[in-house]
Amino acid sequence: MILVYTDQYTTRLHYSLQLVLETVLQIPYRLTMDGEEFATSDLPKISYSAEKHESGIFIRTCPLLAQTSMRPIIPETVQYDGIACFFPVSEDSDLPFDVFAAAFFVATRYEEYFPYESDQHQRFPSSASILTKTGIAQKPIVHIWANMLAAVLRKYYPKIQLPKIPFQFELTIDVDHAWAYRNKPFWQQAGSLLRLLSRLQVNEIRKRIAVHSGKRPDPFDTFSFIKKSMKKHEQSLRFFFLLADRDKYDRNISYRHPALIHLIRQLVQKYPVGIHPSYSSSLNPEKLETEIQRLHSITDKPVTASRQHFLMLKIPQTYQRLKELGIRHDYTMGFADLPGFRAGMCVPFPFFDLEKNELTALIIHPLHLMDVTMKNYLRFSPKHATRESLQLMHEVKAVGGTFCCLWHNESISDEGEWSGWQAVFSEIVKTGISWQDESSRH
């Protein structure tokens, strides 16, 4: 148990203490505003205040956590142990920066509440983030900062026992197109064949005929391969299904199709299945409730998990809508254009709504890596993608936490534009499971 003294309690401070001490370091704490209790306590102590006490660790405050209003902030930085740290404070502090304010700023996505230059889909790009500008977007920076505090705790209290956080691997699959050729409307199949004929793409025509005649499997039907890859680790695999009305960016097979319904009902018997809210639902919020209800009707189970199609995350509006409709776990928190740590985190953590200045029950599951990011945005070769993925996974292993990656069933097909990428998938999964098993043994 850590005793934390503060001279000014706020909701923001409560959230940040919980985030750094309990969620990241997994250390229980108790908060006091009683200076005498703090001075006489035998517990390991942290004074988070404007004035230094005679005993305990001293972290000098900056104004951020004492505020209730919001204004645009570009935090000053200081280098400590070779890492950029936000909100520097005076030299008498045991850390040269306000670790609780820094963690709060990053994890709440404070910078995303203010105008920014968005990408073509009106999303927050990695280039707009101070994390990218300071070179720490690809590090679990909140954990690194928290470990700096843990090092100070060990220095002051050598007998303190801090838990070692295990590494965990989580594979998530977005199902935008369950099949490449099968189970699509006749008009759609006929149109595709006519286009192929006009381009004299004979091999592609033969491939489609072979699939429809049952002579070869549909290339996007990789579900058996995915399940086999995660055998004995089923708890680390989950699926998200797109059940939208067909639109420019929502080109899924109809949610009414018996084959899709059968697939979902088959998977939900063994794996968590969540909703993949459509691109158009981010522009038309009424559609979100409809799509959630569609999945509920298919599975006959409450729909409590989601990931936005195209990672269409607008803070705080997206989270507010999800929370209102019963979603309790969201897996969207990642940059579409860059692997890494959009919120500086690699463990699930609660969403703090800065607009309402309140802690919510919605749990954010950080996303660290997406197949499309590597191939389409960064133009990585499979070999380069494998190397970068393992390096990112190592960052999580170093601090402890959950590495969460996003793949699409179609990108594992090893065909067409995804030729060579099945090997990337297999190496990531094999390494992730191996590290998780190794961590659990220790």
Side-chain angles (χ1 to χ4, degrees), residues 177-337:
H177 310 280
W179 298 278
Y181 310 136
R182 292 174 52 215
N183 303 312
K184 293 189 175 181
F186 175 77
W187 62 266
Q188 194 175 338
Q189 294 184 39
S192 297
L193 283 172
L194 287 172
R195 282 193 296 273
L196 293 171
L197 281 169
S198 68
R199 298 168 187 166
L200 299 178
Q201 293 179 281
V202 178
N203 289 336
E204 182 65 24
I205 292 172
R206 287 174 177 165
K207 185 194 300 183
R208 288 174 181 247
I209 292 172
V211 169
H212 287 301
S213 64
K215 293 180 179 178
R216 63 167 292 172
D218 188 283
F220 290 0
D221 189 359
T222 57
F223 300 101
S224 293
F225 178 81
I226 293 167
K227 290 187 287 185
K228 186 178 179 181
S229 299
M230 295 297 290
K231 190 176 181 181
K232 297 183 180 179
H233 293 83
E234 287 81 4
Q235 76 283 356
S236 299
L237 171 63
R238 63 179 61 241
F239 295 86
F240 296 93
F241 276 87
L242 182 64
L243 302 177
D245 296 314
R246 193 171 176 83
D247 207 341
K248 179 180 179 180
Y249 295 110
D250 304 315
R251 305 179 68 83
N252 50 291
I253 290 169
S254 172
Y255 65 92
R256 296 190 183 95
H257 200 292
L260 184 64
I261 292 172
H262 175 74
L263 174 63
I264 295 172
R265 287 177 176 169
Q266 183 185 54
L267 289 173
V268 81
Q269 299 304 313
K270 199 168 186 178
Y271 309 96
V273 172
I275 191 65
H276 195 32
S278 65
Y279 186 103
S280 53
S281 75
S282 65
L283 308 175
N284 183 352
E286 288 73 24
K287 290 187 176 184
L288 177 59
E289 184 173 10
T290 299
E291 292 166 18
I292 290 173
Q293 184 56 43
R294 286 171 181 169
L295 183 58
H296 172 67
S297 298
I298 293 170
T299 64
D300 197 29
K301 293 185 177 184
V303 180
T304 59
S306 70
R307 179 189 285 121
Q308 298 293 119
H309 191 30
F310 276 68
L311 301 186
M312 293 287 285
L313 176 59
K314 180 73 173 177
I315 297 175
Q317 293 89 338
T318 302
Y319 285 147
Q320 289 171 345
R321 292 168 190 153
L322 291 172
K323 186 166 66 74
E324 289 168 1
L325 293 172
I327 299 297
R328 293 292 172 261
H329 300 270
D330 186 72
Y331 289 74
T332 313
M333 181 59 76
F335 292 121
D337 59 346

Side-chain angles (χ1 to χ4, degrees), residues 154-197:
R154 291 189 184 96
K155 178 182 175 182
Y156 271 72
Y157 305 100
K159 294 182 179 180
I160 194 171
Q161 294 185 353
L162 302 181
K164 181 175 174 57
I165 313 303
F167 172 86
Q168 297 184 62
F169 175 77
E170 188 164 36
L171 173 63
T172 62
I173 305 292
D174 284 358
V175 185
D176 303 343
H177 310 280
W179 298 278
Y181 310 136
R182 292 174 52 215
N183 303 312
K184 293 189 175 181
F186 175 77
W187 62 266
Q188 194 175 338
Q189 294 184 39
S192 297
L193 283 172
L194 287 172
R195 282 193 296 273
L196 293 171
L197 281 169

